[in-house]
Amino acid sequence: GAVVSQHPSWVICKSGTSVKIECRSLDFQATTMFWYRQFPKQSLMLMATSNEGSKATYEQGVEKDKFLINHASLTLSTLTVTSAHPEDSSFYICSARVQEGVRDTQYFGPGTRLTVL
Amino acid sequence: DAKTTQPTSMDCAEGRAANLPCNHSTISGNEYVYWYRQIHSQGPQYIIHGLKNNETNEMASLIITEDRKSSTLILPHATLRDTAVYYCIVRVNAGNNRKLIWGLGTSLAVNP
C-alpha cells in the first residue's frame, strides 16, 4: 500500500515552454501532498505544500507564479513549471501524506527529471 | 534548517549489521524521528519512525536514547541493495502541514 506515482519520469523541453508534472496516490487518498526539488549532490528542498481544494503554501523563495500547483482531487496534484529555463533543470519529487491515527507519514513518488535546453 | 546531525558517509560489509547514528539534541517533546533512504535517482523511501520507544519493522530497527537526543537506525543484515543515502529527520510542526526538513544524510556503502 501507499504507492505514489509521478508522470512523466523524465522530460526534456526547450527554454520558455511550460511543463506539467503529475503526482498520483494510487491506493489511498491524500488531502496533503508535497513538492520537492533536488539538485545534484544536494538534499531535497521543499517547494510547496499542496492541500486538496485550496491554494498551495509555498516555501520562502519559491515563485508561486512560476511553479503552479493544483490539487483538484484527493489522488492527484500537478506541478506546472511555467516558462522553464535551464536553471529549472532538476529532479522534482512529490510526496503524499498518510494519516492514520498517530501514524503520520509521507510516501514519495519516483521523481521526475526535468532538463531544460 | 535541518535539526539533525549525521555522519557524511559510512561503509558496511554485506551481511553485517549497519548502524547509522543521528543526533537531534534540540528535539522537542512532541517531535517524531523519521528515517528515509534514497537510492540514486529515485524518490525517497520511508523506513521507520518513532517518538521515544524503540521501533522495529520488516526493514529496520530504530533505537532512540532515553533523553531522545540521539537515535540509531539498524539494518540487521545489510545487502548491496541497501546502498543509499539515509536521512534522519525530525518532523517540524508547521500548522497542519507537518513539514519534513531534509539534511544531507549519510551515504551508506554496502560492500561485498
Side-chain angles (χ1 to χ4, degrees), chain B residues 68-81:
Chain B
R68 302 187 70 238
K69 293 185 177 182
S70 65
S71 61
T72 301
L73 178 74
I74 301 172
L75 307 178
H77 305 287
T79 70
L80 299 179
R81 289 182 294 180

Side-chain angles (χ1 to χ4, degrees), chain B residues 18-30:
Chain B
N19 298 293
L20 293 91
C22 179
N23 287 321
H24 31 79
S25 58
T26 60
I27 191 170
S28 60
N30 61 349

Side-chain angles (χ1 to χ4, degrees), chain B residues 33-47:
Chain B
V33 179
Y34 282 78
W35 283 84
Y36 285 82
R37 72 180 182 184
Q38 186 177 26
I39 297 170
H40 182 63
S41 294
Q42 297 183 24
Q45 177 188 22
Y46 166 78
I47 302 174

